[in-house]
Amino acid sequence: MDFGLVLQTDPPASQVISLMKRAERNGFRYGWTFDSAVLWQEPFVIYSQILANTQKLTVGPMVTNPGTRTWEVTASTFATLNDMYGNRTVCGIGRGDSAMRVAGRQPNTLARISEAMKVIRALASGEEADLGGGTTVRFPWIKPDAQLPVWMAAYGPKALKMTGEEADGFILQLADPYLTEWMVKAVRDAAVAAGRDPADVKICVAAPAYLTVDDSPAALAHAREQCRWFGGMVGNHVADLVAKYGEHSDLVPEALTEYIKARQGYDYSHHGRSDNPDTAFVPDEIVDRFCLIGTAEQHIAKLGQLKALGVDQFAVYAMHDAREAVIDGYGAAVISALRD
């Protein structure tokens, strides 16, 4: 199992770079960031410095979207980074929940994501791509060995199906073993139906991880409060699924949708923050299921379950008051226990 670190690109950028360097020293192989142009600083500028200050770390957005930038610009940015530092980027892509809504636009459709994935992957890999209207382009400066894997974030049945059919990887933003098994199966079944080898679709589970010295009630209560924001963030996507498929649907498991019944709304100015006031509806049970909290031994046990389900990477969301501690703690005890 590989490990990644997920950060927001809050200023100063130097701190983001420092934490990514720390992660690599501790055995993390991927460095991810949010990508929401209004809420945080431009990640691709920061990726250049992360790559320059690390040796092997692969970087990318979790996730970008096909509406914020034109597709040839996105592809060119990835390709330029790869030309400068080797093929050390990955394109995580999704509908653009915060990036689009904060800018007053609706998240992208699956059809648009599908088209964008094909264009971005092709151009960044040195191939021709049709930008629409019969305009076919190709970057003349691409090296022969250029490549860009595209991983798709998904929850709903149509998105999971498309991930299995078209994406190089699947990003699942929660760490509940039951839901992971359910969604990984949907992706793999779709891959097989499309004539693909399901093993070619990398599986990345991303969730907050908070290490505690012990499993006392006080320690666990603090950890839950630091990670409760995640249930609110996931709740945005779940609310979209409920609006589309209803509260009770065979297409979406109730283990995912049940908890948002008390959800009142969401203020994106607190998006991904541990002090988010719009997450009071998230119960402790969801925090425990969706996140990893507790001692290193408890983290290892849950990650072992996820690994057995076929998870190739666990990406740690470090939006809490113990970022350095979780990076160092994973390096000292967790990563070595799970690494292949």
Side-chain angles (χ1 to χ4, degrees), residues 143-178:
K143 292 179 180 178
D145 64 345
Q147 60 180 342
L148 176 68
V150 180
W151 296 11
M152 182 174 166
Y155 292 108
K158 292 182 179 180
L160 294 170
K161 180 175 182 290
M162 196 175 91
T163 300
E165 293 171 343
E166 302 180 24
D168 301 304
F170 167 42
I171 297 172
L172 175 59
Q173 293 168 312
L174 53 80
D176 175 71
Y178 170 77

Side-chain angles (χ1 to χ4, degrees), residues 36-262:
S36 193
V38 175
L39 297 177
W40 299 289
Q41 292 185 331
E42 174 56 36
F44 288 97
V45 176
I46 298 172
Y47 295 157
S48 185
Q49 286 298 302
I50 294 172
L51 291 166
N53 285 276
T54 56
Q55 283 70 54
K56 297 182 179 180
L57 203 69
T58 295
V59 304
M62 189 178 282
V63 291
T64 193
N65 74 88
T68 301
R69 305 173 187 85
T70 61
W71 305 343
E72 70 273 21
V73 171
T74 298
S76 180
T77 305
F78 277 111
T80 301
L81 291 172
N82 284 339
D83 184 73
M84 294 171 68
Y85 301 105
N87 292 322
R88 292 172 55 197
T89 66
V90 56
C91 177
I93 195 167
R95 296 177 64 227
D97 173 51
S98 66
M100 297 297 286
R101 285 183 165 130
V102 168
R105 300 190 290 271
Q106 289 299 307
N108 295 271
T109 64
L110 292 180
R112 185 170 173 81
I113 295 173
S114 176
E115 294 173 8
M117 286 200 300
K118 294 180 178 70
V119 169
I120 292 168
R121 183 196 289 119
L123 288 176
S125 301
E127 302 170 8
E128 289 185 348
D130 188 346
L131 299 180
T135 302
T136 301
V137 299
R138 183 176 190 170
F139 298 155
W141 45 269
I142 289 280
K143 292 179 180 178
D145 64 345
Q147 60 180 342
L148 176 68
V150 180
W151 296 11
M152 182 174 166
Y155 292 108
K158 292 182 179 180
L160 294 170
K161 180 175 182 290
M162 196 175 91
T163 300
E165 293 171 343
E166 302 180 24
D168 301 304
F170 167 42
I171 297 172
L172 175 59
Q173 293 168 312
L174 53 80
D176 175 71
Y178 170 77
L179 290 173
T180 298
E181 182 176 19
W182 196 94
M183 294 186 185
V184 168
K185 182 180 185 301
V187 169
R188 287 178 169 165
D189 287 350
V192 171
R196 303 181 68 193
D197 182 348
D200 289 342
V201 184
K202 296 295 183 183
I203 308 295
C204 175
V205 162
Y210 198 102
L211 287 166
T212 59
V213 176
D214 54 40
D215 58 358
S216 66
L220 293 177
H222 178 76
R224 290 187 183 110
E225 289 309 310
Q226 287 296 306
C227 298
R228 199 176 303 277
W229 64 266
F230 184 67
M233 186 184 81
V234 174
N236 296 328
H237 304 284
V238 176
D240 287 343
L241 292 176
V242 170
K244 184 176 181 65
Y245 297 103
E247 291 186 6
H248 306 286
S249 171
D250 293 337
L251 299 175
V252 184
E254 287 195 28
L256 176 64
T257 61
E258 179 70 20
Y259 84 98
I260 70 159
K261 287 183 176 179

Side-chain angles (χ1 to χ4, degrees), residues 8 39-40 97-98 101-102 229 232-233 236 263-273 275-279 281:
Q8 295 164 335
L39 297 177
W40 299 289
D97 173 51
S98 66
R101 285 183 165 130
V102 168
W229 64 266
M233 186 184 81
N236 296 328
R263 180 178 181 270
Q264 298 296 316
Y266 194 82
D267 181 353
Y268 282 92
S269 66
H270 301 283
H271 191 56
R273 307 291 189 188
D275 61 352
N276 191 327
D278 296 324
T279 59
F281 73 93

